[in-house]
Amino acid sequence: MYGHRGAMLGSGGVSDGYEIGSKRPRMMESNPYLAVSSGSSGYRPYAYGSRYQPSAFPVVRLRGLPFNCSDIDIFKFFAGLDIVDVFLVNKDGRFAGEGFVVFSGPMQAELALQRDRQNMGRRYVEVFRCKRQEYYHAIAAEVNEGAYGSIDYHGTSPPPRRKRSPDKNNMEYTEILKLRGLPYSVKKSEIVKFFGDFNIPDDKIQIALRSDGKATGEAYVEFASAEEAKKAMCKDKMLIGSRYVELYPSTPDEARRAASRSRK
């Protein structure tokens, strides 16, 4: 089980039928709050007249999540809000029932706080303010494969995430690779460029969509052969935009099922 158990999600709320696997971690390059200056101190409320204004970095922390919680559950819990990232916390290899959610702006984070103590399944979930640095600490802990909070990270932008993954060299390959962690605005031309000399034609790329037509951050790419697909794994965890893209062996059947979900 991985620290973020599914990872970064795109904006635009949620609709039923959204399905997503565990993804590689990434920042949404279009969100200015994920590239804050070193002078920012994270959660720092300020006043405008007599009304409270939200912190500069739009992140909230969740506690009391069901232990079978997934990213789609978070999306449904915050239905209607614009989510940029979901990070579910692991402790000692187990999901800790805690998480962080980054929104597209401060007002979205303020609205998220109104969901405090609402139910997810049979459990009520606490939603409360946290500092930007707490969110970065959680990511840094995963990068170092340690327990949450076991290191002291002082960076002003999130470290690249890593996770324990199966030995992909020993997995069975077909001509299909699955991509996870793509920018939600990704175009086929960007995937073609990502694979460079492999010369993937557009019609061999399938970008997975939710039932409402929005991207899931996943895609399937068909190569000329299983051998070519395995060679293309050299691109695993490289960047498209500011996101680390993970590659996994897949199958034509899995790609067809994803295409079927996209058409619903």
Side-chain angles (χ1 to χ4, degrees):
M1 186 178 295
Y2 303 137
H4 59 286
R5 289 174 43 121
M8 297 225 177
L9 301 177
S11 58
V14 67
S15 68
D16 291 338
Y18 178 71
E19 294 192 19
I20 181 173
S22 144
K23 294 189 212 165
R24 134 345 197 147
R26 37 252 156 213
M27 294 296 114
M28 190 164 188
E29 61 275 10
S30 62
N31 189 345
Y33 298 100
L34 297 180
V36 293
S37 68
S38 59
S40 176
S41 61
Y43 167 56
R44 184 166 51 184
Y46 54 93
Y48 178 78
S50 61
R51 297 183 64 184
Y52 168 78
Q53 295 294 311
S55 68
F57 190 77
V59 61
V60 300
R61 186 171 177 177
L62 310 180
R63 189 163 54 200
L65 293 167
F67 284 88
N68 61 350
C69 176
S70 66
D71 301 313
I72 182 56
D73 297 316
I74 302 294
F75 260 77
K76 288 181 177 179
F77 186 77
F78 289 114
L81 300 183
D82 203 4
I83 294 175
V84 169
D85 184 25
V86 172
F87 183 87
L88 301 180
V89 175
N90 242 12
K91 292 182 181 179
D92 300 322
R94 294 179 178 273
F95 177 49
E98 299 181 7
F100 296 84
V101 181
V102 181
F103 294 88
S104 61
M107 289 310 301
Q108 293 284 306
E110 285 297 297
L111 291 170
L113 292 170
Q114 297 176 16
R115 312 285 172 98
D116 183 39
R117 297 182 183 271
Q118 291 189 15
N119 277 30
M120 183 182 293
R122 297 181 178 179
R123 303 188 64 167
Y124 73 82
V125 176
E126 294 178 82
V127 183
F128 52 96
R129 304 182 197 281
C130 72
K131 296 181 180 180
R132 174 192 56 159
Q133 210 67 11
E134 293 178 60
Y135 166 67
Y136 290 174
H137 282 171
I139 298 173
E142 181 184 324
V143 169
N144 285 269
E145 296 187 343
Y148 170 66
S150 64
I151 65 173
D152 190 16
Y153 178 71
H154 294 288
T156 58
S157 62
R161 300 184 193 169
R162 297 174 191 160
K163 67 183 182 184
R164 301 178 186 89
S165 59
D167 184 353
K168 296 174 184 177
N169 288 326
N170 293 328
M171 296 175 73
E172 185 176 349
Y173 281 78
T174 71
E175 67 275 20
I176 306 292
L177 288 184
K178 182 176 184 177
L179 284 65
R180 290 176 175 167
L182 293 164
Y184 290 87
S185 59
V186 73
K187 297 178 175 61
K188 288 186 177 183
S189 59
E190 293 175 272
I191 296 175
V192 170
K193 184 177 179 181
F194 178 75
F195 284 111
D197 293 340
F198 289 94
N199 297 318
I200 306 298
D202 280 7
D203 62 358
K204 299 299 183 181
I205 297 171
Q206 174 193 319
I207 296 175
L209 303 175
R210 296 173 3 196
S211 58
D212 61 359
K214 294 181 179 178
T216 68
E218 298 183 349
Y220 295 84
V221 177
E222 182 180 346
F223 291 82
S225 65
E227 290 74 21
E228 282 289 287
K230 192 167 185 178
K231 288 179 185 176
M233 289 296 295
C234 66
K235 307 294 289 186
D236 189 29
K237 297 183 182 175
M238 291 191 178
L239 292 172
I240 291 183
S242 61
R243 296 202 179 192
Y244 290 80
V245 177
E246 288 183 302
L247 307 182
Y248 293 88
S250 184
T251 64
D253 187 54
E254 183 181 7
R256 281 193 295 270
R257 289 197 302 269
S260 176
R261 289 195 296 268
S262 297
R263 289 192 293 267
K264 287 181 180 178

